[in-house]
Amino acid sequence: MEKRLRLLLESGKITYQWVWVILTLPGLFLGPESKSQALITNLNLSSLVTAIDHTNLFDVEVTGRVLDANREPIPGATVSVPGTAIGTATDLDGRYALTVPEGATLVFSFIGFESQSIAVGDQSVIDVILAEDISSLEEVIVVGYGVQKKMNLTGSVDQVTSEALEGRNVGNLTQSLQGLMPNVNITPLDGKPIQSPAINIRGTGSIGQGGNALVLIDGVEGDPSMVNPNDVESVSVLKDAASAAIYGARGVFGVVLITTKTPKKDVVSVTYSGNYGIKSPVVRPDFVTDGYIFAKMFNDIFFARDGLYPQNINKTQTFSQEYLAELERRSEDPSLPKTDLDEFGNYVYYHNTDWYGHLLKSNFSSTEHNVSVSGGTQKSSFMLSGRYSDQGGLFRYSTDEFKMYNLRARGSIEVAPWLQINNNFDYSTRFYFNPLNTGEGSSVFRNIADEGHPTSPLLNPDGTLSYASAYTVGDFYLGNNGSHLDRTVIRNTSGFEANFLENKLRVIGNFNFQNINSDELRIRTPIPYSPAPGVIEYIGTTRNDIQNTLDRTNFVTANLYSEYETNFTEKNYFKAMVGYNYEQSTFQRHQYSRNELLFPTVKDVNLAVGDNVLASGGYDKWRIAGGFFRFNYIFDDRYLVEVNGRYDGSSKFPAGESFAFFPSVSAAWRISEEQFWPISDQVISDLKFRGSYGSLGNANIRPYTFQEQFSIGTGIILAGARPRTTSMPAVLPDGLTWETATTRNIGLDLSMIKGKLNLTGDAYIRHTSDMYTIGMTLPATFGTTSPRGNYADMETKGWEMILSWQDMFNVADRPFTYNIRLNMADWKAEVTRYNNPDKFLNDYYAGMTVGEVWGFVTEGFFTSEEDVLNHANQQSRFTPRIGTYQPGDIKFQDLNNDGIIDFGRNTVEDPGDRRIIGNESPRYTYGMNLNFQWNNIFLSGFLQGVGRQQWYPHQETANFWGQYNRPYGDIPSWHLNEGMIWSEENPDSFLPRYVTRGGTGGLLRQVQSKYLMDASYIRLRNVQLGYNLPINIINRVSVSAARVFVSGENLWTWSPLYKVVSNIDVENAVAPSDQMYTSGNSGDGYNYPMLKSVTIGLNVTF
Amino acid sequence: MTFKVKIMKTNYIWLFIIGTYVLTGCDLEELPVATTSKNEIFGTETGLNLYSNSFYNALPSGNDIVTEDYLSDINARKDRIIFLTEGAFNATSTEAGWDWGSLRNINFFLSNNEDPAVPVQIRQHYNALAKFWRAWFYYEKVKRFGDVPWINKPLDVSDPQLHAGRDPRIMVMDSVIADLNYAIEHINGNDASRTLVTRDVALAFKSRICLYEGTFRKYHSELGLSGTVDAWLTESANASRILMDENNYSIFTGAGTELSYRQLFTRVSPVASEIIFGRAWDIGLGLLHGANWHYTSSTYGVQLSPIRTFIQTYLMTDGTPFTDIEGHETMVFSEEVKNRDHRLKQSIRTGDYTRISGNEQVSALPQFSYTLTGYYPIKWSLDDMYYDSDTRNDNFVSIFRFGEILLNYAEAKAELGTLTDADWAETVGVLRARAGISGGLDAKPTVADPYLQSTFFPNISDPAILEIRRERSIELYLEVSRFDDIRRWKRGELMEMPWDGIYVPTANQPMDLNDDGVFDVYFYYGELPPVGERIPGVSYLNITPSPGNLRTLSNGTSGEILWLTTQPRTWEDKLYHYPIPERHRILNPNLGQNPGW
């Protein structure tokens, strides 16, 4: 046998390693193709030797052509001998030549065609004709309560599979979906790992009740950010009314169906995947850290407005001209001490502190481990998966920490040939610690802007905090304050699937319970600081407390449905489904707090001893019940019709209005299947027109909205306590009905050039009528908000498309496959009816485009006193503190030529000197996936972007306005770039004369054309380079497949914004301040930076 | 085939039956659990009490009370006042004050408080509370807008009253007094914490309202309501008299002439012998106010600083006017604060004022980082510097105190022409005695003070009225809105008074503010002395006229400090009432507009 082997090896027909593995490690997976393993359990050495013995070792030369059904050559088709490294690809004429062992079998394959195997036998010329593979049309798409072949779809449905989610190192599944599918709009508000914005489909749906996409995980409503991304098989999105109607009133603004992997029958596999990443902020906020430059500019901008020299730098430092002179002296002589004492023994500081340097690490790491075991027989299957994921924090001190654990156990058993019982259990828990600033209570980013003066240090020489530090990073340095946010989801679905009549009739039922615990433990302690050696004072003394918030949601879902599928004759396909769905959600809040912690390190309320004990609750319950049906009829694969409907009831609506029926219909015509279709299927292989119409109610509304409620609150101090209080309830509307969204959708699916080029396009008009908004603005003497009612309509128009190209060719005799997928979408919403007949600009009005920005038009800067005099009167409405405007001050255009710059009556008809200057809605959103694969090496890229979006920086945004907003604010480094700030020598600058509090007359606080920024962008979300380890190496260690990869997130971004504002990430910029602290906005961009990362990973299958 | 169809049918029938049963048998109604209902609120005293606590939300915030005089004639502030800038203020400038939410809350209560399960006396007590707060609501409305719609029920969406015009002031104020009389009659109970509305609070409020309305109608003769004046003044005097006769309150003198007055504003627990009503604060309960922040920060507040014209009205301790002294016009700060009414040093920083830094007493002269005029108010703020930044104050904020009642009484009687020497002695006399003044306590004055008359009230010749007005502006400085007094006395022109400050004998020379031989401040005209030549610890202030410099001296290089002369303040008589906000006139054109707007 050894002799035979040596012969084999010398002939080069079989690699040494391959043989070696087979010989030494029998009983394991065999074959170089990792994904199509066959387990050889009873292989032994002798049978292998026999197999080898029978192999003919003499070479045969084979040539031929590979053609398609029309006898056209197929270039780039693969010709190979399975189980060996022997293979080649066809040339432009479809020709190939290959030397193979005698008795070998050739496999011919190409994308879009069915593979063919031909035994060589004694042939030397083998021509093959490959049949077109329609598997891409056979692709199965998850739809509501079932699946559908893509070919048979009549509605608008997109789907991505697990491949699109692989190798991503982002906080959670929601984040990784951003940009993958057109018009599935996900806008993260910051870079926190727990960030999981609501998913919007096809733009603004309602300005009344609002509402976002319904997210279902394995058929039951759930939180996508808590799912183990490795468990996900596919994510499908139902966009139009016809697809979503089966979910009735909750699916009104689209449905996202997340389907997890199921165990395969007759296969056992163990898969490990893990990765390690290094993360860092995409853009690190960049402010002037030179104390003297900061102080000098503070002095100048303060004086320019107030005509006085400042005596303090906000609250935390005293200031004088003498101090400034001394600061200058010390900045020129770095040997002088940075901290000194004044005549009263108080600290005086001359520092150059980089507060963001103290706040943020330059990088930190993340890890993930995921193990899944899956196996099955014909009668039962089981899968167990577990995941651990963590992310170290971005903050240098008291860092945020993220940890997540997932466990899923899923299995099914065949009780009888017609009955299968299944169960799907899922446990997810997530821990996040978020440090807090107790001093002023808002986010650390805002507090640095207000009190993080470069002149002050983090620490005094004796290690105590400086006053500025106590308000900002010093709080983190001490590390006592923060919120522990823990969230746990336990879900279990038990179900059965029964089939009758040769699987034509199926009955499916399941019952799900879900417990969601969302807890916050918030600890706030006063911050000690030292204004003078030996003296300790505190800030945040009113926020000395510990608070526990325990939110509990119990969710129950039951589904029972049945479908019947048949072909009446060869040409008539019919499918019907009816079902029933019941859901119930009970939410309870338990919140308590107590003040005066015994020590700053206290973690439990038992150790709080104050008198201010607060306890509050909360309770929400809603139930829905609905019966639904779907009929599909297809004639001759050409004409497709689908009718959906749901009779839906919700406890959120008043009796008599709680049930409603929502029907929809859709149809499609595969014109390319018609006899008369004249175009060769070489050019257009498939063309389908689709159309749908449907109408859905909107149940996205808070429970009890229609009931008179007296809620209990806490009042002021009365007789030594803070008694509870209640007050008048909201005025209830008289008659009410559901908001209705009616969607008309047309679409086409096109497949060209043998399936290489595919296009799916949809256009839609969604008319949301009877939106539940505030009523007619009543005279203020009514005394409360006008009762809400079904008072408004809106129309959203949009389109989306996916264009993909896939092909392959040979590089160095090996196939190089690649594909490109571009998705793009747009929408625009207009309010068509609203209760604002006078069209006041502080509210919606009929004719308004969602996102529009009204503002003044910046004509430029005043150039001279004469220019001020000759210009329209800007002074009476925007009076400068020192009397008059000066050269360098902003000049608005007198749009209505009335000689005065003002707001008019603040209505559309009389907006004063304002007009619509832009729109803040993201337009032309797109994503592009690129995949290349060659010889076990793969490279992929994912670009995502927004084609058009404008941003007007909120007045408190220090990253943009710097000291123009608050004189003591930090200075964005880009303000010092040449030509940025006005001066007589630099009259064409970007920013006006250096005057604080919104510039002269506060003009910078008026929305205006000059500072409306272009916030469109393109971002390389992900790039991956991977390598499938050669089978002959990994088999030595009992591994059947192994892949290593390097993945990068957010490594490159371009935005026109960066031409001006270089110190803030474009996605951070347009987002409001950290929403953990306020639902309002204390300044755009005061939020956790977006992260970029480089990750190395390994996937191994045993 | 038939067999198959049969099974299929059976299945669907089965499903249909279940579906129909579940859908029709399923009552989806859900009732709230975490909130309560009308029956429970109005069917129990607990519920009524719970609801009545919400009335107190109409009280101004602590910060609003202590900064009420941000708009007044006798204080300078760092910014221009848009309200007084010609052409800058109009009916679109603000909608403040035109809010009717608390009224609906009261009317909803009054309309629903009729559950017989609650004894009638108890219902009346709570109705009385509601009516007190309705009077509170309307007093503010009438002061600000004059005529306003009178509404006494929660209106429906379609109620024509929503679009009705305004009711005349006379009708509205009569209704206010009717409410207040009901409150006085039906509110039960006392309250030592001075934070609950009691009958005494209602009386004190009546004393204030009636004085306001009486004098307003008297001096605003254009209203044509002169015939009603005496009745209002008499009602005011009577309400005050009840409180005076019942002897539940007195002027607090327990800490001597140098401390008693200020302690009314700095103690955490109210001085219950004098304070009738106010707001309490408690760090443990998480409610504080920010008086110190307002009165010490150069960026947070408006740097409110009293003007010299007002400071000069403080009498000498012997009861004679400071302005009678020869050369008082050119008296420097360290001199002019000597031997004055002891309320002066309890209202502004003078030479011996000290503060607490850590645990140490430190000298605290007027800091020009804050004061614009050199006079630095201390009335509401605490001495410990701990309170200076952020919202940290826990000192009780008085809203009604007996001192005001005495002044209301004296003024009403004086305006009625019935003020006696005895009245004088038990009102102004008592207040001046507390302030360490020795002369003129027993008999009402007989000579009009020429300074007071010429500077403030040229239309008043009655010496008693003049002196009562002096007393009121000093005793109630920064307390009971000075602007209300200006409006009812029809002396809006006073809002144009120059913002003047301490006298500077000559520029470019260091000054000592407290005679301790250490220089404190240096006003420079021209160039700031170079660093080497400056005296450590001295504030250098620019008084050189230039477009960017807002502080000058009245005679260039000497004289009184003048602040912000570049922004003239203009009084027009239309400012006695605010305009009806333009947007609300669009919503209800029948509201009309106040004269001049």
Side-chain angles (χ1 to χ4, degrees), chain A residues 148-343:
Chain A
Q148 182 79 279
K149 283 180 189 168
K150 191 175 182 194
M151 176 173 68
N152 292 343
L153 276 182
T154 51
S156 179
V157 183
D158 278 352
Q159 179 170 299
V160 292
T161 57
S162 57
E163 283 163 34
L165 306 172
E166 278 170 9
R168 301 291 306 274
N169 185 359
V170 293
N172 57 63
L173 178 65
T174 318
Q175 292 180 15
S176 57
L177 291 177
Q178 185 184 4
L180 277 183
M181 287 173 277
N183 249 334
V184 178
N185 304 311
I186 296 169
T187 309
L189 297 171
D190 63 25
K192 282 202 190 88
I194 60 168
Q195 176 64 238
S196 176
I199 299 174
N200 169 283
I201 292 171
R202 292 186 157 183
T204 303
S206 167
I207 55 168
Q209 293 171 12
N212 290 293
L214 171 68
V215 179
L216 301 173
I217 301 161
D218 290 329
V220 178
E221 191 166 341
D223 175 355
S225 73
M226 296 296 287
V227 175
N228 178 355
N230 299 291
D231 283 352
V232 175
E233 175 74 45
S234 70
V235 178
S236 167
V237 177
L238 315 180
K239 293 178 170 175
D240 64 343
S243 324
I246 209 89
Y247 293 106
R250 287 181 308 152
V252 58
F253 299 119
V255 182
V256 177
L257 301 171
I258 297 169
T259 308
T260 62
K261 291 170 182 164
T262 46
K264 304 269 181 300
K265 289 197 162 126
D266 285 339
V267 178
V268 174
S269 74
V270 179
T271 304
Y272 165 82
S273 60
N275 66 60
Y276 174 84
I278 300 287
K279 298 196 170 189
S280 56
V282 173
V283 176
R284 191 173 165 283
D286 181 14
F287 292 99
V288 170
T289 57
D290 183 304
Y292 175 67
I293 293 177
F294 160 80
K296 175 80 174 62
M297 291 178 72
F298 161 67
N299 190 56
D300 290 350
I301 203 164
F302 189 100
F303 185 83
R305 175 182 183 273
D306 284 34
L308 286 172
Y309 289 111
Q311 311 288 330
N312 312 85
I313 311 177
N314 202 10
K315 298 191 286 292
T316 56
Q317 259 190 281
T318 55
F319 190 84
S320 64
Q321 297 309 297
E322 291 72 28
Y323 167 78
L324 185 61
E326 181 63 18
L327 182 61
E328 182 175 18
R329 188 173 79 90
R330 298 204 186 204
S331 78
E332 283 162 5
D333 183 355
S335 67
L336 293 170
K338 300 279 181 216
T339 300
D340 226 332
L341 298 179
D342 69 8
E343 53 177 318

Side-chain angles (χ1 to χ4, degrees), chain A residues 480-502:
Chain A
N480 296 319
N481 299 328
S483 277
H484 298 266
L485 301 155
D486 300 342
R487 186 172 170 84
T488 299
V489 179
I490 300 171
R491 290 160 57 98
N492 190 73
T493 309
S494 306
F496 70 90
E497 234 183 288
N499 60 72
F500 309 97
L501 314 176
E502 294 156 6

